[in-house]
Every structure is written in C-alpha cells, then in structure tokens.
Amino acid sequence: MPLTILYAEDNRLVSDAVRDLLEAEGWRVELCADGNSALNRLAGGFSYDLLLFDNEVPGATGVELTRYARSLPRYRTTPVIMVSASDCRAEARSAGADLFLRKPDDIAGLVDAVLRLIE
C-alpha cells in the first residue's frame, strides 16, 4: 500500500520538485496550494499517512495546520513534517510537528526523513 501524503505548499516550483521527489518513491502526494484547502482535507473524511506543511502558505500557516491536525483524533500520531525558509523550529515543535526542515537546504534529506518517521 503506497504512502499517502498531504502536502501544503504555495510555491509551484517547490511543490512540483518535492512532489516529484516523493512520487519517485511510489508515494501518493495530495497537494494543497493554500492552508484553507489543507484544513478542508484534514476536516474531511480523508486519511493520510504523513502530513507535510510549508509554514508560509496563505489561509493558514503550517503551525496552524499542525495544531489543527493534532486536535483531530485520527491525526494525533500521524507524522508531521513542517518546512520553512524561516527558522520557526520552536513553533513547529510546540504545535506538534515531529520534524522541522529548513528550505532549501534540508529538503535533500526529505525522503530519508519520511522513511525514518514512518518506520
């Protein structure tokens, strides 16, 4: 069963590159270009194996998305990775993110990070 990932990212170049990287592993990536559509996906009956949020998306930040996901019983233990060009590691952690990656430097290690979190 392939991994299903909810990915919130508003920068099209970044989202295409990251989606290609993850889909090359055989994983299914559902992309949301803004925080509101990601909130709707989380609130809906959808199920994801991993949540990947950029912090700077319009509508709701990655921190807000993480907090909301953690408030839902089905996402309490789902791995959450937050990415951002700005250093908001402390906020990401306090919201419940399992991992914070700094863009663009840490993105090269994304696949390894996902594999570690889903083991």
Side-chain angles (χ1 to χ4, degrees):
M1 187 89 177
L3 198 63
T4 303
I5 300 170
L6 177 63
Y7 177 33
E9 169 65 67
D10 63 324
N11 182 310
R12 191 59 193 232
L13 286 173
V14 173
S15 65
D16 287 349
V18 170
R19 185 175 54 206
D20 290 349
L21 182 73
L22 297 171
E23 287 180 345
E25 297 296 314
W27 300 331
R28 203 175 134 262
V29 178
E30 195 165 308
L31 180 63
C32 293
D34 63 76
N36 289 328
S37 50
L39 284 171
N40 289 334
R41 290 276 170 206
L42 291 168
F46 305 96
S47 185
Y48 301 100
D49 303 303
L50 185 123
L51 306 174
L52 177 61
F53 301 139
D54 175 37
N55 192 45
E56 284 102 24
V57 287
T61 66
V63 168
E64 292 166 332
L65 291 170
T66 301
R67 273 198 194 105
Y68 180 68
R70 291 295 186 228
S71 77
L72 302 170
R74 75 175 169 282
Y75 292 119
R76 290 243 164 83
T77 59
T78 301
V80 176
I81 299 175
M82 203 164 91
V83 296
S84 181
S86 60
D87 189 1
C88 52
R89 184 178 314 271
E91 297 95 314
R93 287 285 195 197
S94 71
D98 295 287
L99 188 64
F100 174 83
L101 298 176
R102 190 83 183 257
K103 290 196 303 190
D105 310 345
D106 297 343
I107 298 302
L110 181 60
V111 169
D112 288 337
V114 170
L115 289 170
R116 275 196 319 272
L117 285 172
I118 60 168
E119 275 181 348

